[in-house]
Amino acid sequence: MRPDDRQSDRVPLLKQRWEVQGGNFITAGNVSTKIKDLLKEIQISPDLIRRLAICCYEAEMNIVMYAGKGSMTLEIHSSELVLIVEDQGQGIPDINLAMQEGWSTATEAMREKGFGAGMGLPNIKRNADKFDLTSKLGQGTTLRVSITLT
Amino acid sequence: MLKIIPELCDGKMHCLRICPTQAIRIRNGKAINIEERCVDCGRCLQVCPHQAIAPQTDAWVQLEKLKYRVAVPSPALLGQFPREYSPEEILQALSRIGFQEAVDITQYCDWVSWAIREFILSYRGPKPLISSFCPAIVRLIQIRYPSLINQLIPLKGPEVIAVEALRQKRSNGQMKGPKDFNAIYLTPCPAMVTQGENDPDHQTISGAVSIRDLYNPLLAFLNQQPDAYRWPMPTMGTGLRWARLGGSGSALREQSWITVSGLYEIVRVLDDIESGKLKDTDYAECWSCRGGCIGGPLTVENYYMAYHKVILLEQRKIHTSPLEVDQLRKLYHQGFFHLEERQKPKSYSGPEVNLIEALARRRVKEQALALFPMINCGVCGAPDCNTLAEDISRGQAEVSDCIFHGQAHLEELKRIYKVPAEGDKE
């Protein structure tokens, strides 16, 4: 592989970023819908859209519930769809614990809204081909998931 | 597919503005309908002041040529008439205005409600299952939500079941009457009409006639004293609920389910379903018309009165035979309720292009969009700036169609709409 080939693979064909407002349950899910509409517009296959849409929605809800603010970035590469979710929240103290199904730090109020079942992150992982979660306490969390284009 | 009659259309954009799927464009002062985008919901038909949009129902004169006609009325028909007329009388009256007999569909509505529960109980795929009995919803999912296509519940609608059950009873001698008959659906909406064209399961039905077209002759007949009934009283079970909301889910007990109506609301719910937000709901009943089939564009009575009448009819103390569950279960396992073929997606983005081309097209769209005022005036002939930009990216429109960018187009529009210059005298 020539060096510029690798370069062209790193530069996405399309990159778009959206802000997500923490704590706002009224607009929660809107960014996910926008991302999904974009993917439909460029004729990504329905099955892949479905999987990324689920990742988007769960990740967006995580920002809304736990972080003051955050952003979602969609990168389209020739071989994969990448979703990067960054927030400036409190961070996740124990990632292994957070990845366990049913583990949740949701408050009573969130649970009353029907959230916080502890299935979010495991659900994202199940739907993604690559999953990378990093977090620094007091600084925030970055999630990077990708879905391979078939 | 809805047909726009150019001679009657004056291009005043009522339909353009209301179409929930952006399927209408105005070209040279006349509305046109883009087939790949249209879901046959009939909203345009309701707002057109000139009746320039015609449903593709069959003309009664055409159907009269068919031998032995059996009326299969949508449950919505029964809420259309003054309260003194019972469903039995309405069904009987059908046999006097050109049908040889009429089927009581409500009984089969109950059958299908039962089958829905049976299906849900053994279903293990992604949730919720989505009702497939409103053809406009099926089309919407085929066009816009292809990833949800396998969540459409693969069962036949009551109108198909009614006809097939009748055929079966006739051929095995359970019931007298000719084996060969032409079933004609009395429809509250234009979507039911189109369904037969591409759906093998709907070819059981020979034609569809609009409730509106039959209303006057039926009412005239009911207003005269009908003489003795020609066939036994039909049963009128809980299936009548299919006329309004909640009918298809009426057999569900322990399941969680929702009912949604109106295309704008449906779109929001389907978005949520696609995001996995409703994954704990078992069933979503969806109807394109607000309030269900009694809200259909080819009905006569206003929705609220029809609703009231249906509720009153449901409360009648009538003797109905309980569902023969053993018999239904047998039919169910024979595949009687299942669609022969599952629905397939239909792309509305046109022929498939590769990712690079699709992204290039999107860039063209974004560039065009940046030029537009985003006031969605519709003067270009597209319902909104976004749709115009999309049309441009497909080579179906030009930036100069926007009057902010095309003086020539504006002059042409002045001529088409006969707008005099200031100071001109008629």
Side-chain angles (χ1 to χ4, degrees):
Chain A
M1 191 187 268
R2 285 178 296 140
D4 49 323
D5 278 349
R6 233 173 298 138
Q7 182 66 24
S8 69
D9 203 44
R10 275 211 307 276
V11 177
L13 300 167
L14 183 129
K15 182 173 177 173
Q16 201 157 335
R17 184 171 181 273
W18 293 266
E19 300 289 336
V20 180
Q21 205 190 334
N24 188 344
F25 285 86
I26 297 166
T27 56
N30 287 5
V31 171
S32 301
T33 302
K34 281 181 190 153
I35 292 177
K36 199 176 65 183
D37 287 346
L38 193 160
L39 296 175
K40 282 184 189 176
E41 200 185 311
I42 58 169
Q43 299 186 343
I44 301 295
S45 88
D47 168 53
L48 302 184
I49 294 181
R50 179 71 188 264
R51 284 167 54 204
L52 196 73
I54 292 170
C55 295
C56 282
Y57 178 71
E58 296 284 8
E60 188 175 356
M61 288 318 300
N62 281 345
I63 300 179
V64 171
M65 286 195 288
Y66 302 109
K69 66 175 195 178
S71 70
M72 294 170 73
T73 307
L74 175 72
E75 286 185 5
I76 295 169
H77 297 262
S78 53
S79 59
E80 60 179 358
L81 305 171
V82 181
L83 176 74
I84 302 148
V85 188
E86 293 162 300
D87 72 48
Q88 288 88 54
Q90 58 206 356
I92 302 171
D94 185 341
I95 287 185
N96 285 335
L97 205 53
M99 289 308 297
Q100 279 178 23
E101 290 194 1
W103 172 261
S104 175
T105 57
T107 62
E108 203 51 47
M110 292 173 190
R111 287 174 205 264
E112 272 169 18
K113 290 193 179 87
F115 302 109
M119 301 302 282
L121 286 170
N123 200 12
I124 296 176
K125 192 169 183 183
R126 231 191 335 269
N127 282 287
D129 290 320
K130 283 185 220 157
F131 177 96
D132 181 35
L133 182 64
T134 52
S135 188
K136 273 203 180 118
L137 270 184
Q139 289 180 28
T141 303
T142 301
L143 169 69
R144 190 186 164 94
V145 298
S146 63
I147 289 178
T148 309
L149 287 174
T150 43
Chain B
M1 161 97 175
L2 293 157
K3 195 175 144 206
I4 300 176
I5 305 157
E7 298 76 41
L8 296 177
C9 175
D10 67 358
K12 297 283 167 71
M13 303 183 179
H14 295 85
C15 55
L16 179 77
R17 296 186 198 287
I18 203 156
C19 176
T21 59
Q22 295 84 38
I24 291 174
R25 302 290 181 276
I26 310 284
R27 298 279 181 258
N28 300 315
K30 305 282 180 194
I32 57 161
N33 187 8
I34 301 171
E35 196 179 341
E36 308 82 69
R37 280 180 173 247
C38 176
V39 299
D40 297 303
C41 70
R43 288 293 89 77
C44 52
L45 192 142
Q46 283 172 311
V47 296
C48 178
H50 308 294
Q51 283 82 49
I53 303 177
Q56 297 299 78
T57 43
D58 296 297
W60 182 237
V61 281
Q62 287 299 317
L63 296 178
E64 267 188 320
K65 291 178 195 151
L66 299 174
K67 267 185 274 173
Y68 207 87
R69 297 174 295 277
V70 175
V72 185
S74 151
L77 177 81
L78 306 168
Q80 301 296 306
F81 296 95
R83 267 170 56 189
E84 61 261 36
Y85 302 122
S86 70
E88 289 80 1
E89 283 172 309
I90 295 165
L91 293 184
Q92 306 280 359
L94 284 168
S95 72
R96 309 304 173 77
I97 63 148
F99 294 95
Q100 273 65 45
E101 56 183 286
V103 174
D104 167 30
I105 197 173
T106 61
Q107 179 192 342
Y108 301 100
C109 290
D110 280 337
W111 283 25
V112 176
S113 300
W114 176 88
I116 290 169
R117 180 166 186 273
E118 199 70 5
F119 189 88
I120 291 174
L121 285 174
S122 59
Y123 175 75
R124 295 289 172 268
K127 291 198 290 186
L129 282 159
I130 302 167
S131 68
S132 57
F133 311 106
C134 173
I137 300 297
V138 172
R139 266 188 74 79
L140 182 73
I141 289 176
Q142 287 177 312
I143 295 172
R144 291 226 171 152
Y145 297 90
S147 76
L148 298 179
I149 209 133
N150 290 326
Q151 271 163 268
L152 280 168
I153 196 161
L155 299 176
K156 293 171 185 169
E159 66 288 345
V160 176
I161 292 295
V163 176
E164 288 179 358
L166 188 62
R167 261 202 191 112
Q168 210 175 59
K169 279 183 195 160
R170 291 266 160 88
S171 23
N172 63 21
Q174 262 179 294
M175 212 174 163
K176 282 182 201 155
K179 268 179 257 170
D180 287 320
F181 56 82
N182 289 291
I184 292 162
Y185 186 62
L186 312 188
T187 180
C189 75
M192 273 295 187
V193 177
T194 335
Q195 195 167 31
E197 291 170 10
N198 36 29
D199 177 355
D201 286 302
H202 256 85
Q203 278 150 17
T204 328
I205 294 175
S206 314
V209 52
S210 133
I211 287 179
R212 265 183 192 213
D213 291 349
L214 282 179
Y215 188 77
N216 285 332
L218 258 180
L219 191 64
F221 183 83
L222 286 166
N223 285 339
Q224 301 157 9
Q225 277 297 320
D227 41 1
Y229 295 145
R230 262 205 281 178
W231 73 86
M233 297 281 276
T235 56
M236 293 301 306
T238 49
L240 192 59
R241 225 175 283 169
W242 277 68
R244 54 173 180 101
L245 299 179
S248 79
S250 59
L252 302 180
R253 294 289 172 266
E254 65 276 39
Q255 291 82 3
S256 83
W257 63 288
I258 57 169
T259 175
V260 197
S261 73
L263 269 190
Y264 294 102
E265 285 78 0
I266 300 258
V267 163
R268 290 173 56 184
V269 171
L270 292 180
D271 275 331
D272 284 350
I273 293 178
E274 234 178 8
S275 307
K277 202 171 173 177
L278 284 125
K279 59 180 185 292
D280 298 324
T281 305
D282 294 305
Y283 180 61
E285 179 189 87
C286 298
W287 300 105
S288 154
C289 293
R290 222 175 256 267
C293 292
I294 40 171
L298 303 181
T299 57
V300 178
E301 183 60 283
N302 84 56
Y303 165 75
Y304 300 95
M305 280 308 294
Y307 179 82
H308 173 63
K309 281 187 248 175
V310 168
I311 296 282
L312 288 176
L313 286 173
E314 285 170 24
Q315 291 165 349
R316 287 192 314 169
K317 293 266 179 293
I318 40 157
H319 173 74
T320 53
S321 48
L323 284 182
E324 291 160 5
V325 175
D326 290 343
Q327 187 210 340
L328 286 182
R329 191 159 284 135
K330 203 173 135 203
L331 285 171
Y332 184 87
H333 291 297
Q334 285 165 1
F336 184 71
F337 290 99
H338 289 71
L339 287 178
E340 260 112 72
E341 226 176 78
R342 287 201 84 130
Q343 292 90 351
K344 292 187 185 70
K346 288 182 187 145
S347 169
Y348 91 110
S349 320
E352 221 170 284
V353 293
N354 68 37
L355 183 62
I356 305 292
E357 284 171 68
L359 285 166
R361 204 157 71 179
R362 187 184 145 80
R363 270 193 297 278
V364 173
K365 181 191 160 185
E366 297 284 301
Q367 281 160 7
L369 209 51
L371 297 169
F372 297 149
M374 305 305 283
I375 56 172
N376 304 329
C377 66
V379 179
C380 60
D384 50 65
C385 298
N386 191 59
T387 307
L388 176 63
E390 230 175 272
D391 286 353
I392 291 171
S393 74
R394 298 204 180 108
Q396 292 156 353
E398 286 167 21
V399 172
S400 61
D401 289 343
C402 172
I403 54 156
F404 286 81
H405 296 284
Q407 198 57 35
H409 185 213
L410 185 59
E411 292 306 319
E412 193 193 327
L413 287 169
K414 281 184 186 166
R415 187 182 53 75
I416 289 170
Y417 288 101
K418 299 188 177 69
V419 180
E422 207 180 353
D424 273 10
K425 286 195 179 125
E426 280 286 307

